[in-house]
Amino acid sequence: MRGWLGPVAAVAALVVVVLGLLYAGGGRPGGVDARILAAVEGTGPRARHVALATDFLGEPLGAAILVAAVVAGCLLLRRPRGAVLAVAGVGLAVVTTRVLKHLVGRTIHGDENLSYPSGHTAFLTALALVVTLLATGRSGLGRTAGAVLVLLVALVAGVAMGWAQVVLGAHYPTDALGGWFTALAVIPATAWAVDRVAGSGPCRAR
């Protein structure tokens, strides 16, 4: 799937930069943000409970549990490269969002709350990408089918966490979009780097 994911990662990185430049130093929602915020306004308490539960997955404790579960699964299946990718790839995606927050300087609910891109959205998307990449590597799916599945799962994860962040008022919709594209840019690059360090072949134990 490298033939697909390489260009996808490059385009994703470009989108992250463009969105960052567009909203740099801002503290208000853009036009797209305003329309989406209006659509989710008045979300009921049940939906907010779901959003809070989803948000927990991106909090330090929830994130640690998820990553630990993926790493444990990789080690049990004797796939050490997968474990390395889960830690390095997801960690790098989150670190990248933190660096970008300070570079872009977009805020929400006050100057102290840097918002672009969403670290929660980047985290869950990155983890979903890692798990799906490893799963498709074992499934025997063709390159096109595998790439479509990877992107579809990443989209579902990104939409779920992005929706939760918007409903809870933690991020603008475009912050979530930036987080999604950040993960899409970082994980393929990290997988390639892990392969280069560990040897040729897909990111899995030989």
Side-chain angles (χ1 to χ4, degrees), residues 36 40 47 50-55 57 118-129 150-168 171-181 183-184:
I36 297 176
V40 302
V50 174
L52 284 169
T54 305
D55 176 74
L57 300 178
S118 166
H120 280 61
T121 306
F123 165 77
L124 196 62
T125 303
L127 191 64
L129 280 168
V150 168
L151 294 176
L152 180 60
V153 172
L155 179 62
V156 171
V159 168
M161 184 58 82
W163 168 82
Q165 297 306 298
V166 172
V167 166
L168 296 174
H171 286 282
Y172 302 114
T174 44
D175 296 335
L177 187 62
W180 188 77
F181 277 112
L184 208 58

Side-chain angles (χ1 to χ4, degrees), residues 7-189:
V8 167
V11 171
L14 179 61
V15 172
V16 171
V17 172
V18 170
L19 287 175
L21 292 174
L22 185 61
Y23 295 107
R28 302 180 63 181
V32 174
D33 295 317
R35 285 191 288 272
I36 297 176
L37 289 170
V40 302
E41 188 177 2
T43 300
R46 182 173 299 179
R48 288 188 63 83
H49 289 320
V50 174
L52 284 169
T54 305
D55 176 74
F56 172 75
L57 300 178
E59 292 295 308
L61 179 58
I65 292 172
L66 288 179
V67 172
V70 173
V71 169
C74 289
L75 295 179
L76 287 172
L77 294 172
R78 298 183 179 181
R79 303 187 70 188
R81 292 193 206 181
V84 172
L85 178 59
V87 175
V90 173
L92 184 58
V94 173
V95 169
T96 300
T97 63
R98 292 181 178 176
V99 172
L100 287 172
K101 277 183 169 71
H102 290 280
L103 291 176
V104 174
R106 191 185 196 191
T107 59
I108 186 170
H109 307 314
D111 293 340
E112 300 300 318
N113 300 312
L114 298 173
S115 66
Y116 179 89
S118 166
H120 280 61
T121 306
F123 165 77
L124 196 62
T125 303
L127 191 64
L129 280 168
V130 169
V131 172
T132 314
L133 281 171
L134 296 172
T136 54
R138 304 274 292 195
S139 67
L141 288 174
R143 183 177 67 177
T144 301
V148 170
L149 179 60
V150 168
L151 294 176
L152 180 60
V153 172
L155 179 62
V156 171
V159 168
M161 184 58 82
W163 168 82
Q165 297 306 298
V166 172
V167 166
L168 296 174
H171 286 282
Y172 302 114
T174 44
D175 296 335
L177 187 62
W180 188 77
F181 277 112
T182 298
L184 208 58
V186 169
I187 293 301

